[in-house]
């Protein structure tokens, strides 16, 4: 009997007794000291923080076990974790916004400088070549550059009209100089400009210079304007897209990810990386700009290559003075034929009295009146930012951000505030319920894969209306840039040029692709100019009335108005069946 009692005493310590209930281990091994220190440093009131673990039956998001959080603390932590997540997303994309903004500013400065340099160069060239004759008609040339700037900076309307009106007014000024012995009334000059602007081009007083200048200037201005607007639209769209609108499901998931460890009394336990990726994919995949982002970058780079090559803005600006001089030389060399045709169509003008006849120009000015500018008079860049260099920098920088939206969840989870480092995957981490390893599958970023996301419900992964609208703006800008790279201006829907209403906009043929014979732009129907008041000799302003003409011009601030057809098709594509 004594031996049996001795054996029982030896075996008694080895028998398992009644252990602590669920959560008792946490209550024994954990405290709220670290949580109180961390939240107190963040400005939380210690009076709202329990001094020790309490029952978590009141919690709405975190596990309802022993906790360091009251209801007020859990609610405030939900707000704070949401703000931290949103701030991290904006911080991750700040370099992208800066890249687009900086490229927009640099290209815009270069284009404006080229126009100003071309105007200054033309003034020097013409003052040297034409002397006082140019000084008398300086407003005519400065007015042309003003209207070119208006197209580039403001409404986007009247580019063709600006060029047509310039040549018409130039003809009104130059034709009387060829015939100082005649008097040209306003009605006669009206007949002259109407004849010069007729659809059959029977009278071409400046030869082919107006068409060539119109082709080169128009396609360069259209491309430059679409490019600048494309950069601006991309900057604004990205800036808005980074302000992530978080659904209720995402807020709860982010709170479980980064806030609940504080409530469980393990604030130094980092969330598992797979847990973070599921939350980030669920909250961000529907807010990004893919797949339109890649197409936008392709359109931007495609148009940039055209701007520095066949649609060179620099060459177009440099050619303005040369082509105007060539047109004036043609008028002088063919003055007899041009005058004969004008006199036949408009009648013979009355001769001026001997005393009122204009004195001919001095011999030294006549000899140099129609001189073409020499090469060194072409405008040069003062800032040192050449277009090829800017395009190279743009290509290099955009290459870094092509996969930005697809890689944004990885960037977010790479922050030490959001998840454990990838090198610590074997170590225990926060799984959403406690310490351990995250065993749930990690899903990808596509909407199809989000149906199997264990952390965020699928409703929270569908794009909202604001995201769809941003993608629509980006897609419309891409369409406009690709059209401009092909010589088409979708913002100038000239219905009186295309009675069928195809909505394809204006198209400007490519001289370098047409071989020896350049393809002419579509013929314009006759639209005789009308004078605003009687005016003086050669001093009238041509007013063009475009009946039935609808032009939609963008602005340089915010998102630009797009053609209705583009918006309709894109809206159907984005808002259609999911």
């Amino acid at each position: 009997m004594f031996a049996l009692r001795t054996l029982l005493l030896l075996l008694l310590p080895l028998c398992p007794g009644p252990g602590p209930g669920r959560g008792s281990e946490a209550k024994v091994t954990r405290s709220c000291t670290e949580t109180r220190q961390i939240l107190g440093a963040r400005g939380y009131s210690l009076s709202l923080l329990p001094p020790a673990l309490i029952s978590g039956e009141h919690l709405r998001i975190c596990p309802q076990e022993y906790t360091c959080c009251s209801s007020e603390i859990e609610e405030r932590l939900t707000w704070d974790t949401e703000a931290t997540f949103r701030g991290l997303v904006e911080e991750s994309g700040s370099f992208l916004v800066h890249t687009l903004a900086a490229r927009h500013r640099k290209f815009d400065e270069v284009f404006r400088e080229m126009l100003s340099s071309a105007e200054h160069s033309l003034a020097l060239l013409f003052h040297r070549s034409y002397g006082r004759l140019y000084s008398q008609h300086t407003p005519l040339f400065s007015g042309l550059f003003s209207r070119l700037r208006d197209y580039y900076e403001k409404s986007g309307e009247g580019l063709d009209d600006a060029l047509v009106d310039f040549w018409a007014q130039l003809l009104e000024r130059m034709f009387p100089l060829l015939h100082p012995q005649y008097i040209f009334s306003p009605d006669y000059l009206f007949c002259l400009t109407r004849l010069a602007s007729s659809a059959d081009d029977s009278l071409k007083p400046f030869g082919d210079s107006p068409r060539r200048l119109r082709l080169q200037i128009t396609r360069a201005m259209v491309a430059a304007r679409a490019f600048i607007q494309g950069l601006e639209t991309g900057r604004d769209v990205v800036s808005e897209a980074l302000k992530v609108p978080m659904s209720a499901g995402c807020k709860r998931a982010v709170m479980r990810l980064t806030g609940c460890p504080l409530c469980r009394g393990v604030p130094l336990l980092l969330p598992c990386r797979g847990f973070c990726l599921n939350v980030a994919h669920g909250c961000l995949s529907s807010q990004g700009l893919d797949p339109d982002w890649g197409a936008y970058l392709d359109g931007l780079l495609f148009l940039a290559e055209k701007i520095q090559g066949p649609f060179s803005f620099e060459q177009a600006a440099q050619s303005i003075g040369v082509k105007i001089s060539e047109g004036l030389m043609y008028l002088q060399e063919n003055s007899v034929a041009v005058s004969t045709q004008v006199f036949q169509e408009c009648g013979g003008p009355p001769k001026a009295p001997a005393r009122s006849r204009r004195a001919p120009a001095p011999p030294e000015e006549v000899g140099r009146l129609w001189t073409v500018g020499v090469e060194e008079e072409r405008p040069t860049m003062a800032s040192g930012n050449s277009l090829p260099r800017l395009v190279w920098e743009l290509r290099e920088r955009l290459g870094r951000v092509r996969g930005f939206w697809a890689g944004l969840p990885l960037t977010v989870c790479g922050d030490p505030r959001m998840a454990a480092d990838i090198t610590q995957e074997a170590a225990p981490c926060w799984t959403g319920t406690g310490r351990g390893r995250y065993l749930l599958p990690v899903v990808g970023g596509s909407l199809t894969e989000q149906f199997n996301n264990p952390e965020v419900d699928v409703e929270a992964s569908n794009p909202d209306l604001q995201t769809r609208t941003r993608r629509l703006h980006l897609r419309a800008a891409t369409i406009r840039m690709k059209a401009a790279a092909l010589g088409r201006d979708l913002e100038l829907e000239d219905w009186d040029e295309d009675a069928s209403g195809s909505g394809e906009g204006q198209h400007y043929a490519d001289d370098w692709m047409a071989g020896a014979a350049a393809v002419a732009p579509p013929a314009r129907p006759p639209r005789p100019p009308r004078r605003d008041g009687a005016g003086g000799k050669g001093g009238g302003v041509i007013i063009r009335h475009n009946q039935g003409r609808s032009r939609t011009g963008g602005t340089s601030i915010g998102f630009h108005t797009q053609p209705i057809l583009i918006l309709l098709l894109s809206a159907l594509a984005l808002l259609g069946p999911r």
Side-chain angles (χ1 to χ4, degrees):
M1 190 68 177
F2 177 79
L4 180 61
R5 180 181 300 176
T6 303
L7 180 62
L8 290 176
L9 291 174
L10 292 174
L11 294 176
L12 184 60
L14 302 178
C15 296
R22 183 178 181 182
S24 298
E25 181 183 359
K27 186 174 181 179
V28 172
T29 60
R30 301 175 191 156
S31 69
C32 296
T33 302
E34 293 181 345
T35 298
R36 287 171 60 87
Q37 290 177 350
I38 293 176
L39 294 183
R42 296 183 185 178
Y44 283 67
S45 174
L46 295 180
S47 62
L48 299 177
L49 291 168
L53 290 167
I54 61 175
S55 175
E57 296 177 354
H58 59 279
L59 299 179
R60 297 183 178 182
I61 299 177
C62 295
Q64 294 182 335
E65 300 179 2
Y66 285 98
T67 182
C68 296
C69 292
S70 61
S71 298
E72 294 84 352
I73 294 298
E74 184 188 38
E75 183 178 2
R76 182 173 173 181
L77 270 178
T78 303
W79 297 339
D80 289 350
T81 54
E82 175 192 357
T84 300
F85 184 82
R86 291 167 61 101
L88 184 57
V89 171
E90 291 192 42
E91 180 183 343
S92 301
S94 60
F95 79 97
L96 179 54
V97 176
H98 174 74
T99 296
L100 293 174
R103 296 304 100 189
H104 172 269
R105 183 177 62 256
K106 284 184 176 294
F107 276 98
D108 183 55
E109 290 175 354
V110 168
F111 291 149
R112 292 174 185 270
E113 182 181 357
M114 286 179 178
L115 277 179
S116 298
S117 182
E119 182 178 13
H120 178 68
S121 178
L122 183 144
L124 293 178
L125 171 65
F126 278 32
H127 183 75
R128 175 183 300 177
S129 301
Y130 305 154
R132 64 182 180 85
L133 293 178
Y134 169 72
S135 301
Q136 294 173 356
H137 305 291
T138 299
L140 173 63
F141 298 92
S142 60
L144 172 63
F145 283 95
S146 295
R147 296 188 67 174
L148 293 179
R149 289 190 184 91
D150 287 341
Y151 172 83
Y152 174 76
E153 299 173 356
K154 300 177 183 178
S155 66
E157 299 179 358
L159 185 57
D160 282 352
D161 290 346
L163 296 173
V164 172
D165 292 347
F166 168 76
W167 289 108
Q169 294 181 55
L170 185 62
L171 180 61
E172 287 184 335
R173 311 289 179 88
M174 296 298 107
F175 192 79
L177 293 179
L178 295 174
H179 305 282
Q181 70 275 25
Y182 294 113
I183 295 178
F184 295 94
S185 65
D187 291 336
Y188 197 97
L189 293 176
F190 174 75
C191 177
L192 172 65
T193 54
R194 181 178 57 183
L195 181 63
S197 62
S198 61
D200 56 1
D201 284 337
S202 58
L203 179 66
K204 300 176 67 173
F206 300 106
D208 201 38
S209 294
R211 188 199 68 83
R212 291 167 55 203
L213 180 61
R214 172 182 178 267
L215 178 63
Q216 190 168 12
I217 285 293
T218 303
R219 66 193 183 195
M221 293 290 290
V222 168
R225 188 170 186 270
F227 182 75
I228 289 296
Q229 288 183 350
L231 285 172
E232 187 176 15
T233 299
R235 178 200 65 193
D236 296 339
V237 167
V238 170
S239 179
E240 291 296 324
L242 291 174
K243 300 174 182 177
V244 182
M246 296 183 62
S247 64
C250 283
K251 294 177 183 179
R252 294 174 61 88
V254 172
M255 174 60 185
R256 290 198 310 270
L257 178 70
T258 59
C260 290
L262 286 162
C263 291
R264 285 287 286 160
V266 287
L268 301 182
L269 183 61
L270 295 177
C272 300
R273 185 174 177 82
F275 183 20
C276 178
L277 289 175
N278 278 338
V279 173
H281 277 302
C283 294
L284 297 177
S285 59
S286 63
Q287 309 299 332
L289 300 176
D290 285 334
D292 299 302
W293 178 246
Y296 164 77
L297 295 181
D298 291 338
L300 201 60
L301 292 175
F302 183 43
L303 186 55
E305 294 294 339
K306 289 289 184 138
I307 289 176
Q308 72 161 346
F311 289 1
S312 173
F313 192 92
E314 186 172 11
Q315 293 181 8
Q318 292 173 352
S319 70
I320 296 177
V322 174
K323 285 186 170 56
I324 293 175
S325 293
E326 292 175 351
L328 292 174
M329 290 179 62
Y330 183 92
L331 176 62
Q332 184 196 30
E333 294 172 355
N334 298 271
S335 60
V336 176
V338 171
S339 300
T340 300
Q341 186 174 356
V342 171
F343 294 159
Q344 289 177 351
E345 296 289 339
C346 299
K351 289 189 175 183
R355 293 183 179 180
S356 62
R357 291 181 183 179
R358 291 178 297 275
E364 63 274 10
E365 290 193 357
V366 174
R368 60 176 178 167
L369 182 59
W370 315 106
T371 304
V372 181
V374 292
E375 188 70 21
E376 63 266 22
E377 295 295 340
R378 289 188 175 183
T380 56
M381 295 299 300
S383 64
N385 291 324
S386 64
L387 277 179
R389 177 181 177 182
L390 289 179
V391 171
W392 180 86
E393 292 177 351
L394 178 71
R395 188 188 306 111
E396 191 271 338
R397 283 167 171 77
L398 292 186
R400 305 176 188 174
V401 300
R402 182 170 292 273
F404 171 78
W405 298 105
L408 185 56
L410 291 172
T411 304
V412 170
C413 292
D415 190 277
R417 294 171 292 178
M418 302 302 297
D421 189 80
I422 192 173
T423 60
Q424 302 175 353
E425 285 186 321
C429 52
W430 174 255
T431 65
T433 57
R435 182 191 301 268
R437 297 187 63 183
Y438 191 75
L439 302 178
L440 296 177
V442 179
V443 300
S446 67
L447 293 181
T448 303
E449 293 175 292
Q450 291 308 305
F451 281 98
N452 300 319
N453 194 322
E455 304 298 342
V456 184
D457 59 315
V458 69
E459 287 76 10
S461 299
N462 288 328
D464 58 8
L465 180 59
Q466 292 180 346
T467 301
R468 292 169 181 261
T469 302
R470 286 191 287 268
R471 293 179 182 177
L472 179 63
H473 282 297
L474 198 66
R475 185 176 300 179
T478 302
I479 294 174
R480 185 179 62 233
M481 288 190 296
K482 290 185 176 181
L486 298 176
R488 296 169 53 195
D489 188 355
L490 297 183
E491 290 191 353
L492 294 180
E493 303 214 302
D494 205 338
W495 297 108
D496 65 351
E497 288 188 3
D498 188 358
S500 63
S502 63
E504 293 185 354
Q506 297 186 15
H507 182 275
Y508 303 99
D510 299 340
D511 280 345
W512 66 93
M513 297 175 59
V519 181
R524 303 173 65 91
R527 291 186 291 181
R530 244 172 51 182
R531 293 188 179 279
D532 186 12
K537 290 184 180 182
V541 178
I542 302 301
I543 306 298
R544 303 174 59 82
H545 298 274
N546 302 330
Q547 297 179 357
R549 185 167 185 161
S550 174
R551 288 183 173 184
T552 304
T555 60
S556 60
I557 301 176
F559 301 134
H560 307 291
T561 305
Q562 308 299 330
I564 296 178
L565 180 61
I566 299 178
L567 290 175
L568 179 60
L569 295 177
S570 301
L572 291 176
L574 288 173
L575 303 177
R578 297 172 183 172

